Amino acid sequence: MADDNTSDHIAYAALYSPGPAWQHGKPMEEQGLRNHGLYIRSLRDAGTLIAGGKLGETRGLAVFKTKSLEDAEALLAADPAITGGIFVAELVPWTIAFAIESFPVTPLYR
């Protein structure tokens, strides 16, 4: 059996939910998340973001590929939506058991 480096299959999922600066009654598109979107895009461009996007009407999900939980925590700590209090996030390890090579995406921030 081939040596399987399990850590190659672990990612970290950030579950975003409204923070103290969230403006209740306003849709996500009016929450001032442009800098967050640009930051997440930069992580994608760097190969650190596996996937991310809106989850329902008030939450989001981002899946990071990092070497450690500490690295994933640092990514969240630098996220403008977190530092600005628009979102809070829970970070959980995710063992990727199944995946497809690619799927269509809907860009939100251009």
Side-chain angles (χ1 to χ4, degrees):
M1 186 160 121
D3 183 24
D4 185 17
N5 183 354
T6 305
S7 66
D8 287 345
H9 306 287
I10 295 178
Y12 296 91
L15 304 170
Y16 290 85
S17 55
W22 181 269
Q23 300 173 51
H24 294 280
K26 284 192 172 184
M28 189 177 294
E29 294 75 17
E30 295 177 17
Q31 294 293 333
L33 292 169
R34 180 165 173 71
N35 288 337
H36 162 72
L38 295 172
Y39 175 71
I40 293 295
R41 183 194 308 177
S42 76
L43 297 178
R44 180 206 60 198
D45 293 348
T48 303
L49 179 79
I50 294 173
K54 187 175 174 183
L55 187 64
E57 294 304 314
T58 61
R59 297 182 300 154
L61 172 69
V63 181
F64 305 115
K65 178 70 173 169
T66 63
K67 293 183 181 188
S68 68
L69 176 61
E70 293 78 16
D71 289 347
E73 289 171 337
L75 293 177
L76 277 183
D79 185 332
I82 299 294
T83 61
I86 299 170
F87 279 131
V88 293
E90 176 187 3
L91 193 61
V92 294
W94 179 32
T95 302
I96 302 170
F98 304 97
I100 60 174
E101 211 170 295
S102 65
F103 53 90
V105 298
T106 303
L108 294 176
Y109 303 95
R110 297 170 198 247

